[in-house]
Amino acid sequence: MTITGAKNAKTKKRGVALAMVLIFCTAVLGLVGVLVVNTRSKRDSHSVQSDSTRALMAATAAVQLAIYKYRVLPSEFYKIHNLEADLRNGLADVAAANRLKELKASWMADFQSDNKDSPASIIIEHLNASTGATHSFGVEEFTVVSKSSSGYTQDFLKVRAWGKSGEIRKVLEELIEVKISK
Amino acid sequence: MMLNFNRQHGNDSKTHRQRRGISLVEILMALLILSIAVLPAVGTFSNYYGVATRQMDQEIALKLGESVISLLMNTAYSDLAQGKLTDLPMNFQTPSGSIEGTLSFNGYNATGTIEIGRVKHVINSSISKVFTAQNLDSPHKNALQFTWQSADPPPPMPIGAPPPPPGSNIASYSCFDDLLCIKVSVHYGPGNPIELAVFRADMTK
């Protein structure tokens, strides 16, 4: 009886090594699976990084374009700003508000790359050709944050621009100090 | 009884021998299965290491490209626009110390080499004009042209005259400065080079 029991115990022990190896192999395969997934995500993260940088550069181009337009056409920009101030102070009617909307849309149209034949659309063609990626950019906000009461001597402009490369969209906000020399 | 016991003992020793033999087969099988499982794992580890190394090189190349763009964005605009730059010192701060190099200009094109670790990064840069400054003596169509809607009220129309067509109060202005495209590419090995581009307007005046 004892010998039979011992034999059964030994029989039960058979295949333990195989079972352990199978468990170990499963663990190794699991590890390999994790590595494969990790490698793939790492591979994607590089293109995300490149696109992020390119998107920021596209947004920088939009900011440059906006500030440059302000630089060459300051009077037109301030006319819009003054109309906005009138509207805020309740000095403008509904017709003036509609007119302001039109003026702002017209002023901002040059900075949107989706607008055909705008300077922004020409820039985006160069950008796409230079980098081989697909870009777009635009300016969301271009306002005067503070304005000196003693004429156009010092202003702070706020430009919020966005840039897109591939699927990545980045927003860049810049506060620019403008000093007008006499 | 004794004989039986001996026989049983003999059987037991035979079984023990058989079990030892099976263990060897088991070990061999285990080794076979293990090697089948481990070999792809080793391949994956090697692949992972390659990806990680390549990614690190790509990241360094991207950072180098960004630094060169930043350097060129802060260089005198007139020198860039006129192709007057000769040599620009480059200084990159890394965790292991600072790495220096020179971006050598030849007109509107520049090259430089930076060695980080075992990887040699070749930086190429080119400056081109997207829009050319307008010239009143010989006007051209390649100038940067801004449009805006006049905020002034439209002039009074004569009685009976047809209404002005839409968009007739849109004005345009042709700029008297170039708009530059700064393109930088960083070659860092067998992978595709990093290509970056940005635009720069003249903000100095």
Side-chain angles (χ1 to χ4, degrees):
Chain A
M1 240 352 229
T2 315
I3 292 164
T4 317
K7 267 175 86 176
N8 281 344
K10 278 174 184 172
T11 315
K12 274 182 190 170
K13 276 187 183 174
R14 279 185 197 163
V16 169
L18 197 60
M20 280 179 72
V21 165
L22 284 173
I23 291 165
F24 181 73
C25 286
T26 313
V28 168
L29 283 175
L31 192 69
V32 169
V34 170
L35 269 175
V36 168
V37 171
N38 208 356
T39 308
R40 277 189 187 165
S41 67
K42 285 264 179 189
R43 221 172 259 172
D44 293 342
S45 80
H46 168 67
S47 64
V48 169
Q49 274 188 331
S50 305
D51 280 343
S52 295
T53 307
R54 287 185 187 130
L56 269 176
M57 287 187 177
T60 308
V63 171
Q64 289 274 314
L65 202 59
I67 301 169
Y68 187 70
K69 185 171 181 177
Y70 162 82
R71 199 177 75 76
V72 295
L73 297 165
S75 306
E76 284 68 24
F77 177 78
Y78 282 113
K79 276 178 188 170
I80 295 172
H81 170 71
N82 291 339
L83 277 173
E84 266 180 326
D86 287 350
L87 197 69
R88 267 200 307 274
N89 298 329
L91 301 170
D93 54 7
V94 180
N98 289 335
R99 175 112 187 90
L100 175 65
K101 210 184 256 182
E102 269 182 45
L103 290 174
K104 275 193 90 171
S106 171
W107 176 265
M108 302 285 266
D110 284 334
F111 314 137
Q112 318 301 330
S113 63
D114 297 336
N115 286 346
K116 205 183 161 196
D117 297 331
S118 66
S121 72
I122 298 167
I123 288 174
I124 224 74
E125 277 174 30
H126 276 263
L127 205 54
N128 291 347
S130 298
T131 60
T134 314
H135 299 79
S136 56
F137 67 71
V139 174
E140 288 176 345
E141 192 185 343
F142 188 11
T143 48
V144 178
V145 177
S146 67
K147 189 168 170 293
S148 163
S149 55
S150 57
Y152 299 140
T153 52
Q154 187 183 22
D155 276 338
F156 288 95
L157 305 177
K158 184 180 156 189
V159 184
R160 192 168 69 232
W162 60 272
K164 199 175 169 192
S165 172
E167 293 300 311
I168 305 293
R169 188 181 191 269
K170 289 273 173 186
V171 176
L172 184 70
E173 204 170 279
E174 277 199 31
L175 191 67
I176 300 132
E177 185 185 0
V178 182
K179 275 187 181 173
I180 295 164
S181 53
K182 290 178 182 172
Chain B
M1 279 298 280
M2 192 67 186
L3 189 69
N4 278 344
F5 177 80
N6 281 344
R7 196 180 287 161
Q8 270 195 350
H9 183 76
N11 282 347
D12 188 45
S13 128
K14 195 177 167 187
T15 311
H16 187 66
R17 257 204 318 274
Q18 275 175 353
R19 208 184 70 75
R20 281 172 66 189
I22 288 163
S23 283
L24 183 67
V25 172
E26 269 183 27
I27 288 166
L28 287 173
M29 275 180 71
L31 280 174
L32 183 73
I33 294 169
L34 206 62
S35 57
I36 288 169
V38 166
L39 275 177
V42 170
T44 310
F45 272 112
S46 160
N47 187 25
Y48 182 77
Y49 180 74
V51 168
T53 311
R54 203 163 50 243
Q55 197 198 357
M56 202 172 70
D57 294 342
Q58 284 170 337
E59 271 177 38
I60 291 171
L62 193 63
K63 292 288 169 207
L64 280 178
E66 275 185 80
S67 303
V68 173
I69 289 267
S70 174
L71 182 72
L72 295 176
M73 286 295 276
N74 290 301
T75 309
Y77 178 88
S78 56
D79 290 347
L80 272 181
Q82 292 164 22
K84 280 183 180 172
L85 286 168
T86 49
D87 283 350
L88 271 181
M90 297 186 287
N91 192 339
F92 304 105
Q93 298 298 323
T94 65
S96 53
S98 96
I99 295 166
E100 290 179 354
T102 306
L103 194 63
S104 304
F105 270 87
N106 182 12
Y108 292 100
N109 297 308
T111 55
T113 309
I114 294 280
E115 220 165 311
I116 299 174
R118 285 177 297 175
V119 184
K120 192 176 167 185
H121 296 83
V122 180
I123 302 162
N124 291 312
S125 177
S126 63
I127 316 293
S128 59
K129 290 176 183 176
V130 183
F131 295 104
T132 316
Q134 187 57 276
N135 189 336
L136 287 177
D137 297 328
S138 55
H140 59 85
K141 289 182 177 177
N142 196 30
L144 173 58
Q145 204 163 23
F146 286 127
T147 55
W148 76 98
Q149 202 167 327
S150 174
D152 302 324
M157 299 296 289
I159 298 162
S168 59
N169 58 345
I170 299 282
S172 66
Y173 176 84
S174 224
C175 301
F176 291 89
D177 294 306
D178 301 321
L179 186 84
L180 304 179
C181 172
I182 299 170
K183 188 185 164 188
V184 171
S185 63
V186 184
H187 298 255
Y188 59 93
N192 290 331
I194 300 288
E195 307 270 5
L196 298 173
V198 75
F199 296 83
R200 191 171 166 194
D202 185 7
M203 307 289 185
T204 50
K205 293 173 195 166

PDB file of all heavy atoms in Angstrom, chain A residues 52-77:
ATOM      1  N   SER A  52       4.903  67.777 -33.447  1.00  0.00           N
ATOM      2  CA  SER A  52       4.716  68.836 -32.445  1.00  0.00           C
ATOM      3  C   SER A  52       5.638  70.006 -32.747  1.00  0.00           C
ATOM      4  O   SER A  52       5.213  71.172 -32.704  1.00  0.00           O
ATOM      5  CB  SER A  52       5.031  68.312 -31.046  1.00  0.00           C
ATOM      6  OG  SER A  52       4.137  67.332 -30.689  1.00  0.00           O
ATOM      7  N   THR A  53       6.900  69.701 -33.037  1.00  0.00           N
ATOM      8  CA  THR A  53       7.873  70.757 -33.339  1.00  0.00           C
ATOM      9  C   THR A  53       7.457  71.513 -34.595  1.00  0.00           C
ATOM     10  O   THR A  53       7.481  72.745 -34.620  1.00  0.00           O
ATOM     11  CB  THR A  53       9.276  70.135 -33.541  1.00  0.00           C
ATOM     12  OG1 THR A  53       9.568  69.337 -32.410  1.00  0.00           O
ATOM     13  CG2 THR A  53      10.343  71.185 -33.703  1.00  0.00           C
ATOM     14  N   ARG A  54       7.049  70.762 -35.631  1.00  0.00           N
ATOM     15  CA  ARG A  54       6.650  71.409 -36.887  1.00  0.00           C
ATOM     16  C   ARG A  54       5.391  72.254 -36.692  1.00  0.00           C
ATOM     17  O   ARG A  54       5.267  73.327 -37.270  1.00  0.00           O
ATOM     18  CB  ARG A  54       6.413  70.359 -37.961  1.00  0.00           C
ATOM     19  CG  ARG A  54       7.711  69.769 -38.454  1.00  0.00           C
ATOM     20  CD  ARG A  54       7.474  68.821 -39.602  1.00  0.00           C
ATOM     21  NE  ARG A  54       8.686  68.144 -39.952  1.00  0.00           N
ATOM     22  CZ  ARG A  54       8.806  66.846 -40.106  1.00  0.00           C
ATOM     23  NH1 ARG A  54       7.758  66.064 -39.938  1.00  0.00           N
ATOM     24  NH2 ARG A  54       9.951  66.305 -40.426  1.00  0.00           N
ATOM     25  N   ALA A  55       4.465  71.747 -35.861  1.00  0.00           N
ATOM     26  CA  ALA A  55       3.228  72.505 -35.596  1.00  0.00           C
ATOM     27  C   ALA A  55       3.555  73.816 -34.900  1.00  0.00           C
ATOM     28  O   ALA A  55       2.989  74.866 -35.231  1.00  0.00           O
ATOM     29  CB  ALA A  55       2.284  71.671 -34.744  1.00  0.00           C
ATOM     30  N   LEU A  56       4.508  73.760 -33.953  1.00  0.00           N
ATOM     31  CA  LEU A  56       4.907  74.986 -33.250  1.00  0.00           C
ATOM     32  C   LEU A  56       5.578  75.972 -34.206  1.00  0.00           C
ATOM     33  O   LEU A  56       5.383  77.182 -34.100  1.00  0.00           O
ATOM     34  CB  LEU A  56       5.869  74.646 -32.113  1.00  0.00           C
ATOM     35  CG  LEU A  56       5.225  74.379 -30.762  1.00  0.00           C
ATOM     36  CD1 LEU A  56       6.258  73.964 -29.743  1.00  0.00           C
ATOM     37  CD2 LEU A  56       4.489  75.621 -30.241  1.00  0.00           C
ATOM     38  N   MET A  57       6.341  75.441 -35.150  1.00  0.00           N
ATOM     39  CA  MET A  57       7.009  76.317 -36.122  1.00  0.00           C
ATOM     40  C   MET A  57       5.999  76.950 -37.073  1.00  0.00           C
ATOM     41  O   MET A  57       6.159  78.102 -37.473  1.00  0.00           O
ATOM     42  CB  MET A  57       8.074  75.549 -36.868  1.00  0.00           C
ATOM     43  CG  MET A  57       9.225  75.324 -35.940  1.00  0.00           C
ATOM     44  SD  MET A  57      10.644  74.627 -36.639  1.00  0.00           S
ATOM     45  CE  MET A  57      11.696  74.656 -35.191  1.00  0.00           C
ATOM     46  N   ALA A  58       4.966  76.188 -37.415  1.00  0.00           N
ATOM     47  CA  ALA A  58       3.899  76.755 -38.252  1.00  0.00           C
ATOM     48  C   ALA A  58       3.184  77.874 -37.498  1.00  0.00           C
ATOM     49  O   ALA A  58       2.883  78.925 -38.066  1.00  0.00           O
ATOM     50  CB  ALA A  58       2.903  75.659 -38.633  1.00  0.00           C
ATOM     51  N   ALA A  59       2.965  77.654 -36.182  1.00  0.00           N
ATOM     52  CA  ALA A  59       2.331  78.694 -35.359  1.00  0.00           C
ATOM     53  C   ALA A  59       3.240  79.919 -35.273  1.00  0.00           C
ATOM     54  O   ALA A  59       2.757  81.062 -35.299  1.00  0.00           O
ATOM     55  CB  ALA A  59       2.038  78.140 -33.973  1.00  0.00           C
ATOM     56  N   THR A  60       4.559  79.696 -35.200  1.00  0.00           N
ATOM     57  CA  THR A  60       5.520  80.806 -35.164  1.00  0.00           C
ATOM     58  C   THR A  60       5.420  81.623 -36.455  1.00  0.00           C
ATOM     59  O   THR A  60       5.474  82.858 -36.429  1.00  0.00           O
ATOM     60  CB  THR A  60       6.964  80.265 -35.003  1.00  0.00           C
ATOM     61  OG1 THR A  60       6.988  79.389 -33.892  1.00  0.00           O
ATOM     62  CG2 THR A  60       7.975  81.369 -34.808  1.00  0.00           C
ATOM     63  N   ALA A  61       5.267  80.920 -37.586  1.00  0.00           N
ATOM     64  CA  ALA A  61       5.120  81.602 -38.884  1.00  0.00           C
ATOM     65  C   ALA A  61       3.870  82.471 -38.872  1.00  0.00           C
ATOM     66  O   ALA A  61       3.888  83.612 -39.370  1.00  0.00           O
ATOM     67  CB  ALA A  61       5.045  80.575 -40.007  1.00  0.00           C
ATOM     68  N   ALA A  62       2.797  81.961 -38.275  1.00  0.00           N
ATOM     69  CA  ALA A  62       1.547  82.733 -38.196  1.00  0.00           C
ATOM     70  C   ALA A  62       1.744  83.990 -37.358  1.00  0.00           C
ATOM     71  O   ALA A  62       1.273  85.073 -37.720  1.00  0.00           O
ATOM     72  CB  ALA A  62       0.439  81.869 -37.598  1.00  0.00           C
ATOM     73  N   VAL A  63       2.482  83.854 -36.245  1.00  0.00           N
ATOM     74  CA  VAL A  63       2.742  85.015 -35.369  1.00  0.00           C
ATOM     75  C   VAL A  63       3.575  86.056 -36.120  1.00  0.00           C
ATOM     76  O   VAL A  63       3.286  87.257 -36.073  1.00  0.00           O
ATOM     77  CB  VAL A  63       3.462  84.562 -34.064  1.00  0.00           C
ATOM     78  CG1 VAL A  63       3.942  85.757 -33.259  1.00  0.00           C
ATOM     79  CG2 VAL A  63       2.533  83.715 -33.219  1.00  0.00           C
ATOM     80  N   GLN A  64       4.599  85.578 -36.846  1.00  0.00           N
ATOM     81  CA  GLN A  64       5.463  86.491 -37.614  1.00  0.00           C
ATOM     82  C   GLN A  64       4.632  87.280 -38.629  1.00  0.00           C
ATOM     83  O   GLN A  64       4.781  88.489 -38.773  1.00  0.00           O
ATOM     84  CB  GLN A  64       6.538  85.680 -38.361  1.00  0.00           C
ATOM     85  CG  GLN A  64       7.604  85.089 -37.480  1.00  0.00           C
ATOM     86  CD  GLN A  64       8.737  86.058 -37.206  1.00  0.00           C
ATOM     87  OE1 GLN A  64       9.241  86.710 -38.112  1.00  0.00           O
ATOM     88  NE2 GLN A  64       9.127  86.168 -35.956  1.00  0.00           N
ATOM     89  N   LEU A  65       3.738  86.565 -39.297  1.00  0.00           N
ATOM     90  CA  LEU A  65       2.902  87.192 -40.324  1.00  0.00           C
ATOM     91  C   LEU A  65       1.976  88.248 -39.697  1.00  0.00           C
ATOM     92  O   LEU A  65       1.828  89.353 -40.229  1.00  0.00           O
ATOM     93  CB  LEU A  65       2.076  86.099 -41.010  1.00  0.00           C
ATOM     94  CG  LEU A  65       1.528  86.403 -42.401  1.00  0.00           C
ATOM     95  CD1 LEU A  65       2.641  86.709 -43.375  1.00  0.00           C
ATOM     96  CD2 LEU A  65       0.678  85.243 -42.905  1.00  0.00           C
ATOM     97  N   ALA A  66       1.407  87.899 -38.551  1.00  0.00           N
ATOM     98  CA  ALA A  66       0.483  88.818 -37.873  1.00  0.00           C
ATOM     99  C   ALA A  66       1.208  90.082 -37.420  1.00  0.00           C
ATOM    100  O   ALA A  66       0.725  91.200 -37.651  1.00  0.00           O
ATOM    101  CB  ALA A  66      -0.158  88.105 -36.688  1.00  0.00           C
ATOM    102  N   ILE A  67       2.360  89.907 -36.795  1.00  0.00           N
ATOM    103  CA  ILE A  67       3.089  91.083 -36.295  1.00  0.00           C
ATOM    104  C   ILE A  67       3.585  91.940 -37.458  1.00  0.00           C
ATOM    105  O   ILE A  67       3.581  93.167 -37.405  1.00  0.00           O
ATOM    106  CB  ILE A  67       4.269  90.661 -35.385  1.00  0.00           C
ATOM    107  CG1 ILE A  67       3.738  89.849 -34.203  1.00  0.00           C
ATOM    108  CG2 ILE A  67       5.019  91.874 -34.860  1.00  0.00           C
ATOM    109  CD1 ILE A  67       4.818  89.168 -33.413  1.00  0.00           C
ATOM    110  N   TYR A  68       3.992  91.257 -38.516  1.00  0.00           N
ATOM    111  CA  TYR A  68       4.480  92.011 -39.674  1.00  0.00           C
ATOM    112  C   TYR A  68       3.355  92.842 -40.289  1.00  0.00           C
ATOM    113  O   TYR A  68       3.564  93.985 -40.700  1.00  0.00           O
ATOM    114  CB  TYR A  68       5.086  91.045 -40.702  1.00  0.00           C
ATOM    115  CG  TYR A  68       5.757  91.775 -41.837  1.00  0.00           C
ATOM    116  CD1 TYR A  68       6.939  92.477 -41.632  1.00  0.00           C
ATOM    117  CD2 TYR A  68       5.200  91.788 -43.112  1.00  0.00           C
ATOM    118  CE1 TYR A  68       7.545  93.164 -42.655  1.00  0.00           C
ATOM    119  CE2 TYR A  68       5.798  92.470 -44.142  1.00  0.00           C
ATOM    120  CZ  TYR A  68       6.972  93.159 -43.913  1.00  0.00           C
ATOM    121  OH  TYR A  68       7.566  93.855 -44.929  1.00  0.00           O
ATOM    122  N   LYS A  69       2.154  92.289 -40.352  1.00  0.00           N
ATOM    123  CA  LYS A  69       1.027  93.050 -40.907  1.00  0.00           C
ATOM    124  C   LYS A  69       0.738  94.256 -40.012  1.00  0.00           C
ATOM    125  O   LYS A  69       0.452  95.350 -40.506  1.00  0.00           O
ATOM    126  CB  LYS A  69      -0.221  92.164 -41.028  1.00  0.00           C
ATOM    127  CG  LYS A  69      -1.376  92.883 -41.725  1.00  0.00           C
ATOM    128  CD  LYS A  69      -2.538  91.988 -42.060  1.00  0.00           C
ATOM    129  CE  LYS A  69      -3.640  92.745 -42.778  1.00  0.00           C
ATOM    130  NZ  LYS A  69      -4.761  91.914 -43.181  1.00  0.00           N
ATOM    131  N   TYR A  70       0.824  94.031 -38.704  1.00  0.00           N
ATOM    132  CA  TYR A  70       0.621  95.150 -37.769  1.00  0.00           C
ATOM    133  C   TYR A  70       1.686  96.219 -38.017  1.00  0.00           C
ATOM    134  O   TYR A  70       1.406  97.407 -37.983  1.00  0.00           O
ATOM    135  CB  TYR A  70       0.701  94.626 -36.330  1.00  0.00           C
ATOM    136  CG  TYR A  70       0.942  95.711 -35.307  1.00  0.00           C
ATOM    137  CD1 TYR A  70      -0.107  96.491 -34.832  1.00  0.00           C
ATOM    138  CD2 TYR A  70       2.232  95.977 -34.837  1.00  0.00           C
ATOM    139  CE1 TYR A  70       0.115  97.502 -33.910  1.00  0.00           C
ATOM    140  CE2 TYR A  70       2.459  96.989 -33.924  1.00  0.00           C
ATOM    141  CZ  TYR A  70       1.409  97.746 -33.463  1.00  0.00           C
ATOM    142  OH  TYR A  70       1.629  98.753 -32.546  1.00  0.00           O
ATOM    143  N   ARG A  71       2.912  95.757 -38.256  1.00  0.00           N
ATOM    144  CA  ARG A  71       4.022  96.688 -38.438  1.00  0.00           C
ATOM    145  C   ARG A  71       3.829  97.561 -39.680  1.00  0.00           C
ATOM    146  O   ARG A  71       4.139  98.750 -39.653  1.00  0.00           O
ATOM    147  CB  ARG A  71       5.337  95.904 -38.549  1.00  0.00           C
ATOM    148  CG  ARG A  71       6.571  96.737 -38.292  1.00  0.00           C
ATOM    149  CD  ARG A  71       7.813  95.901 -38.354  1.00  0.00           C
ATOM    150  NE  ARG A  71       8.176  95.553 -39.720  1.00  0.00           N
ATOM    151  CZ  ARG A  71       8.735  96.387 -40.583  1.00  0.00           C
ATOM    152  NH1 ARG A  71       8.972  97.627 -40.251  1.00  0.00           N
ATOM    153  NH2 ARG A  71       9.034  95.980 -41.796  1.00  0.00           N
ATOM    154  N   VAL A  72       3.329  96.957 -40.760  1.00  0.00           N
ATOM    155  CA  VAL A  72       3.190  97.740 -42.005  1.00  0.00           C
ATOM    156  C   VAL A  72       1.846  98.475 -42.081  1.00  0.00           C
ATOM    157  O   VAL A  72       1.731  99.463 -42.805  1.00  0.00           O
ATOM    158  CB  VAL A  72       3.413  96.880 -43.283  1.00  0.00           C
ATOM    159  CG1 VAL A  72       4.840  96.377 -43.355  1.00  0.00           C
ATOM    160  CG2 VAL A  72       2.427  95.745 -43.382  1.00  0.00           C
ATOM    161  N   LEU A  73       0.843  97.998 -41.360  1.00  0.00           N
ATOM    162  CA  LEU A  73      -0.474  98.654 -41.419  1.00  0.00           C
ATOM    163  C   LEU A  73      -1.002  98.939 -40.006  1.00  0.00           C
ATOM    164  O   LEU A  73      -2.078  98.447 -39.628  1.00  0.00           O
ATOM    165  CB  LEU A  73      -1.470  97.764 -42.182  1.00  0.00           C
ATOM    166  CG  LEU A  73      -1.151  97.478 -43.641  1.00  0.00           C
ATOM    167  CD1 LEU A  73      -1.976  96.316 -44.156  1.00  0.00           C
ATOM    168  CD2 LEU A  73      -1.407  98.707 -44.496  1.00  0.00           C
ATOM    169  N   PRO A  74      -0.265  99.729 -39.217  1.00  0.00           N
ATOM    170  CA  PRO A  74      -0.720  99.936 -37.832  1.00  0.00           C
ATOM    171  C   PRO A  74      -2.034 100.720 -37.743  1.00  0.00           C
ATOM    172  O   PRO A  74      -2.874 100.412 -36.896  1.00  0.00           O
ATOM    173  CB  PRO A  74       0.436 100.712 -37.192  1.00  0.00           C
ATOM    174  CG  PRO A  74       1.184 101.307 -38.315  1.00  0.00           C
ATOM    175  CD  PRO A  74       0.991 100.449 -39.499  1.00  0.00           C
ATOM    176  N   SER A  75      -2.221 101.703 -38.623  1.00  0.00           N
ATOM    177  CA  SER A  75      -3.435 102.539 -38.537  1.00  0.00           C
ATOM    178  C   SER A  75      -4.686 101.695 -38.712  1.00  0.00           C
ATOM    179  O   SER A  75      -5.661 101.859 -37.978  1.00  0.00           O
ATOM    180  CB  SER A  75      -3.408 103.613 -39.616  1.00  0.00           C
ATOM    181  OG  SER A  75      -2.225 104.326 -39.526  1.00  0.00           O
ATOM    182  N   GLU A  76      -4.635 100.776 -39.667  1.00  0.00           N
ATOM    183  CA  GLU A  76      -5.803  99.931 -39.938  1.00  0.00           C
ATOM    184  C   GLU A  76      -6.102  99.038 -38.729  1.00  0.00           C
ATOM    185  O   GLU A  76      -7.258  98.806 -38.396  1.00  0.00           O
ATOM    186  CB  GLU A  76      -5.568  99.077 -41.188  1.00  0.00           C
ATOM    187  CG  GLU A  76      -5.691  99.821 -42.492  1.00  0.00           C
ATOM    188  CD  GLU A  76      -4.594 100.846 -42.732  1.00  0.00           C
ATOM    189  OE1 GLU A  76      -3.486 100.702 -42.143  1.00  0.00           O
ATOM    190  OE2 GLU A  76      -4.812 101.795 -43.498  1.00  0.00           O
ATOM    191  N   PHE A  77      -5.026  98.556 -38.099  1.00  0.00           N
ATOM    192  CA  PHE A  77      -5.205  97.711 -36.922  1.00  0.00           C
ATOM    193  C   PHE A  77      -5.848  98.512 -35.788  1.00  0.00           C
ATOM    194  O   PHE A  77      -6.775  98.038 -35.124  1.00  0.00           O
ATOM    195  CB  PHE A  77      -3.847  97.140 -36.469  1.00  0.00           C
ATOM    196  CG  PHE A  77      -3.922  96.324 -35.218  1.00  0.00           C
ATOM    197  CD1 PHE A  77      -4.394  95.026 -35.244  1.00  0.00           C
ATOM    198  CD2 PHE A  77      -3.546  96.870 -33.998  1.00  0.00           C
ATOM    199  CE1 PHE A  77      -4.479  94.267 -34.087  1.00  0.00           C
ATOM    200  CE2 PHE A  77      -3.635  96.126 -32.839  1.00  0.00           C
ATOM    201  CZ  PHE A  77      -4.102  94.830 -32.880  1.00  0.00           C
TER     202      PHE A  77
END
